[in-house]
């Protein structure tokens, strides 16, 4: 029962019971473990590779079937059974980050990134890397126009940064890989959020080649920017942060398998606000903010017996609600929806099977239950004629083209996949593209590969102009502010945006394994 309560309030450390290990012992153990976890080591270990076919296969025809990837299976090792974590406990609320400033319009606080051992059940105790000892990290809620100062204390055994995903903060405050904070050091991020930036954002690490690991060990939290005048203020809100967790049989966070590096990590658990298949209660028409903070898992969400309207995308409200039958949220994407239960019943929130063209032998895609939802029928609330007014960017006066490709990586004892943008792997010392402050640009991104990848650009929001697939062009179903967007295999998407700050911006696939392996580029805004 005690455990049930702990679970119901999210995953939090139990200091009283002395579960947090002596930190120095813990860090030493961890440092030893990390040696075996770095990407290059994993890539170089032949037993991790499962004898990938070394020749005779082009990427399109590559099939790591049967013998080749046999013992890797989709999981890459012995995992804890799904039944090991309880389900159906009440959905925990996200814990808020406390504002230490009493000045109106200011939000001051700190986030300490550090290893912490959490007792998930009486039998399962797991070492996470967490912000302020919380999984997920504390929720930051501010208003547009606010000035934010957050000090990162790095108590991890490796360098890190905090990146404010989707927020229009200056590049030198955005936690780029170039601006790492060393272990034991602190750094204060400062920015003022402009009017019109209300939306559903998040924060996570963005160090050099460490993002995948730091994210799968637990470092992520939500960042909500509320509008000063909210026409929907009288409709209750719920926050659902969806994350992925992969636990080895001993209850520890499993390292990435070769399959995880290729396809994007997917664990055996999907958590909402840190809880496994929780029970959600919806008593009335409700707004829900949704985050997919998973490393590689696509969530094709569906809920029966309710009318669902999309009312906001990554960077804010749509002008009009858009009725949905399902909602694909790829890693990094967010949405704000309005849920209007049609009857009083209990249903499950599902992630429908979605084929994203994974490589190699992997388990078939299945529909998963993410939560059970107890709902009470409700009427559609009166909505304003317009939820917001999106600014018009005008004609683009510059264009860019980006192409995603995949190649086999071989030589120097390195085997695996290269995930490339315009034929190149990320290089911290190379500027790939240049834009001018204030200039409206249209980018065409072409996914020239057999697998879904998504695209994320730092520092601004964009809108979709159109999609092109199999020779057909289609307009988007709705216009909203996006910073992360999916591309089907061989799909092209054209997007329009403007950058408002000088400096370095990253763009990448938000399947974090692909990003970490180099599917990332650097834009210099001048
Ligand atoms: Cu959420 Cu560069 O990423
Ligand atoms: Cu980002
Ligand atoms: Cu990708």
């Amino acid at each position: 029962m005690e455990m049930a309560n702990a679970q119901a309030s999210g995953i939090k450390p139990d200091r009283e019971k002395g579960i947090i290990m002596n930190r120095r012992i813990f860090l030493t153990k961890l440092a030893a473990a990390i040696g075996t976890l770095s990407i290059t080591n994993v890539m170089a270990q032949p037993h991790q590779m499962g004898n990938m076919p070394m020749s005779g296969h082009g990427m399109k025809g590559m099939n790591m079937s049967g013998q080749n990837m046999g013992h890797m299976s989709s999981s890459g090792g012995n995992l804890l059974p799904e039944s090991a974590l309880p389900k159906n406990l009440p959905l925990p609320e996200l814990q808020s980050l406390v504002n230490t400033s009493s000045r109106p319009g200011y939000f001051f606080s700190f986030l300490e990134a550090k290893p912490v051992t959490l007792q998930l059940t009486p039998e399962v105790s797991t070492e996470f890397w967490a912000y302020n000892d919380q999984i997920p990290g504390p929720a930051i809620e501010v208003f547009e126009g606010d000035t934010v100062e957050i000090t990162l204390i790095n108590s991890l055994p490796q360098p890190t940064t905090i990146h404010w995903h989707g927020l229009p903060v200056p590049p030198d405050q955005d936690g780029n890989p170039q601006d790492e904070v060393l272990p034991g050091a602190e750094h204060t991020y400062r920015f003022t959020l402009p009017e019109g930036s209300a939306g559903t954002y998040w924060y996570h690490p963005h160090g050099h080649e460490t993002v995948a690991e730091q994210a799968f060990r637990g470092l992520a939290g939500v960042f909500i920017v509320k509008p000063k005048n909210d026409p929907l203020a009288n409709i209750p809100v719920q926050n659902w942060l969806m994350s992925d967790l992969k636990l080895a049989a001993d209850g520890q966070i499993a390292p990435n398998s070769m399959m995880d590096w290729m396809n994007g990590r997917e664990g055996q658990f999907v958590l909402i606000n840190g809880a496994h298949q929780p029970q959600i209660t919806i008593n009335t028409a409700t707004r829900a903010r949704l985050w997919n903070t998973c490393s590689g898992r696509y969530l094709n969400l569906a809920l029966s017996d309710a009318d669902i309207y999309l009312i906001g995308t990554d960077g804010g409200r749509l002008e009009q609600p858009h009725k949905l039958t399902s909602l694909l949220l790829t890693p990094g994407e967010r949405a704000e929806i309005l849920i209007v239960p049609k009857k009083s019943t209990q249903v499950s929130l599902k992630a429908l099977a979605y084929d994203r063209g994974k490589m190699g032998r992997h388990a078939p895609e299945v529909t998963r239950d993410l939560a059970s939802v107890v709902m009470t029928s409700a009427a559609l609330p009166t909505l304003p004629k317009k939820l917001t007014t999106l600014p018009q960017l005008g004609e683009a006066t510059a264009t860019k083209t980006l192409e995603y490709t995949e190649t086999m990586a071989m030589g120097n004892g390195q085997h695996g996949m290269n995930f490339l943008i315009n034929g190149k792997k990320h290089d911290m010392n190379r500027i790939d593209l240049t834009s001018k402050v204030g200039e409206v640009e249209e980018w065409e991104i072409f996914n020239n590969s057999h697998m879904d990848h998504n695209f994320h650009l730092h520092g601004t929001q964009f809108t979709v102009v159109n999609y092109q697939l199999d020779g057909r062009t289609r307009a988007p179903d709705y216009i909203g502010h996006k910073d992360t967007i999916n591309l089907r295999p061989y799909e092209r998407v054209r997007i329009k945006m403007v950058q408002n700050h000088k400096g370095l911006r990253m763009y990448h696939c938000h399947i974090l394994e692909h990003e970490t392996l180099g599917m990332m580029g650097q834009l210099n805004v001048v």
Side-chain angles (χ1 to χ4, degrees):
M1 215 41 232
E2 263 185 80
M3 275 309 144
N5 287 337
Q7 184 78 15
S9 55
I11 305 175
K12 270 188 278 170
D14 194 340
R15 291 174 186 281
E16 289 69 38
K17 298 214 180 88
I19 282 158
I20 298 178
M21 256 193 246
N22 171 297
R23 186 155 147 245
R24 202 192 290 135
I25 297 174
F26 177 70
L27 288 180
T28 316
K29 281 177 62 177
L30 203 59
I34 285 162
T36 62
L37 286 182
S38 79
I39 305 160
T40 35
N41 285 347
V42 169
M43 292 303 226
Q45 283 167 13
H47 69 273
Q48 293 273 9
M49 279 299 304
N51 301 320
M52 236 155 108
M54 303 302 282
S55 61
H57 296 272
M59 204 34 244
K60 275 185 214 170
M62 195 172 85
N63 178 13
M64 282 171 253
S65 61
Q67 337 311 38
N68 296 323
M69 297 297 286
H71 69 282
M72 294 293 303
S73 70
S74 57
S75 60
N78 252 342
L79 300 183
L80 207 62
E82 248 194 277
S83 57
L85 294 188
K87 47 185 191 179
N88 285 319
L89 296 164
L91 177 74
E93 285 202 15
L94 297 173
Q95 304 296 305
S96 294
L97 186 64
V98 175
N99 183 4
T100 62
S101 168
S102 49
R103 259 170 95 184
Y106 286 80
F107 187 96
F108 293 175
S109 201
F110 77 93
L111 288 169
E112 182 181 16
K114 99 176 198 297
V116 61
T117 296
L118 303 175
Q119 193 82 34
L120 304 186
T121 74
E123 292 79 34
V124 181
S125 127
T126 305
E127 297 167 0
F128 289 88
W129 291 357
Y131 291 116
N132 298 3
D133 296 340
Q134 292 172 33
I135 298 290
I140 302 174
E141 279 196 64
V142 301
F143 285 94
E144 49 185 352
D146 281 2
T147 294
V148 178
E149 282 195 22
I150 292 176
T151 300
L152 163 66
I153 302 160
N154 182 7
S155 302
L156 298 174
Q158 51 180 234
T160 191
T161 73
I162 300 180
H163 167 58
W164 313 101
H165 180 126
L167 286 167
V169 310
D172 60 353
Q173 304 301 313
D174 207 14
N176 284 334
Q178 282 81 355
D179 303 321
E180 289 189 324
V181 180
L182 297 177
E186 293 184 11
H187 176 76
T188 301
Y189 297 94
R190 290 188 185 85
F191 45 87
T192 297
L193 295 166
E195 301 291 332
S197 62
T200 306
Y201 306 93
W202 61 301
Y203 61 91
H204 62 77
H206 223 297
H208 185 54
E209 294 181 345
T210 53
V211 177
E213 180 184 6
Q214 292 187 12
F216 75 60
R217 290 185 179 279
L219 292 165
V222 311
F223 195 120
I224 298 168
V225 183
K226 294 190 282 191
K228 281 193 174 139
N229 297 305
D230 186 352
L232 305 180
N234 55 349
I235 304 174
V237 192
Q238 295 198 14
N239 294 319
W240 302 349
L241 177 153
M242 290 167 270
S243 60
D244 192 87
L245 182 64
K246 181 174 175 182
L247 296 179
D250 63 359
Q252 295 312 311
I253 291 180
N256 270 345
S257 66
M258 192 62 219
M259 294 299 271
D260 290 332
W261 283 116
M262 286 195 304
N263 291 326
R265 177 185 179 94
E266 290 186 2
Q268 73 272 52
F269 302 107
V270 179
L271 308 182
I272 306 186
N273 298 357
H276 178 228
Q277 292 185 30
Q279 187 172 98
I280 295 175
T281 304
I282 297 182
N283 286 326
T284 180
T286 299
R287 292 190 275 160
R289 291 187 189 263
L290 316 180
W291 287 260
N292 181 350
T293 71
C294 300
S295 300
R297 185 182 291 281
Y298 279 44
L299 295 170
N300 192 17
L301 301 166
L303 185 68
S304 63
D305 296 307
D307 287 326
I308 310 287
Y309 303 88
L310 184 68
I311 54 174
T313 45
D314 302 332
R317 292 272 164 78
L318 304 182
E319 292 193 342
Q320 307 293 340
H322 176 79
K323 197 158 182 186
L324 295 172
T325 47
S326 63
L327 172 65
L328 179 65
L329 272 193
T330 71
E333 283 187 288
R334 294 86 63 206
E336 190 175 348
I337 58 174
L338 176 65
I339 304 168
V340 186
K342 289 196 280 200
K343 39 178 166 165
S344 300
T345 181
Q346 179 160 0
V347 293
S348 48
L349 172 65
K350 290 185 186 299
L352 304 176
Y354 179 85
D355 178 6
R356 58 185 178 87
K358 283 177 194 162
M359 290 180 254
R361 199 179 78 161
H362 58 86
E365 302 297 346
V366 290
T367 292
R368 297 177 64 113
D369 289 337
L370 301 185
S372 85
V373 183
V374 178
M375 43 193 204
T376 311
S377 77
L380 179 67
T382 332
L383 299 173
K385 267 229 171 68
K386 250 187 159 184
L387 300 176
T388 190
T389 301
L390 293 173
Q392 295 298 312
L393 283 184
E395 282 299 300
T397 49
T399 56
K400 294 190 166 30
T401 51
L402 272 66
E403 184 186 26
Y404 280 171
T405 52
E406 298 159 354
T407 59
M408 294 290 290
M410 272 173 266
N412 301 327
Q414 299 256 332
H415 319 286
M417 295 302 303
N418 275 328
F419 296 96
L420 307 173
I421 304 183
N422 291 347
K424 291 175 187 147
K425 257 175 121 146
H426 171 238
D427 179 344
M428 282 232 287
N429 302 312
R430 186 186 68 229
I431 298 294
D432 298 285
L433 300 170
T434 304
S435 293
K436 284 194 204 115
V437 163
E439 178 159 40
V440 178
E441 299 198 342
E442 193 173 282
W443 291 25
E444 180 180 288
I445 302 135
F446 175 33
N447 178 11
N448 192 9
S449 85
H450 69 288
M451 145 187 230
D452 284 42
H453 293 282
N454 70 7
F455 174 82
H456 169 53
L457 171 64
H458 287 196
T460 192
Q461 295 290 320
F462 52 77
T463 52
V464 176
V465 178
N466 60 35
Y467 298 90
Q468 240 180 288
L469 185 62
D470 298 332
R472 275 190 301 275
T473 302
R474 77 182 160 90
D477 294 339
Y478 49 84
I479 301 286
H481 279 171
K482 295 288 297 169
D483 56 56
T484 308
I485 194 160
N486 193 52
L487 289 106
R488 300 286 292 156
Y490 308 107
E491 188 170 42
R492 287 171 205 266
V493 60
R494 285 162 66 217
I495 59 175
K496 208 153 92 163
M497 86 293 278
V498 58
Q499 291 280 0
N500 291 313
H501 295 271
K502 287 187 183 174
L504 193 64
R505 297 297 192 186
M506 319 302 295
Y507 52 86
H508 54 87
C509 174
H510 217 288
I511 293 175
L512 294 178
E513 281 66 33
H514 296 169
E515 174 202 337
T516 301
L517 291 176
M519 197 173 217
M520 177 152 72
Q522 308 198 114
L523 169 73
N524 192 28
V525 183
V526 296

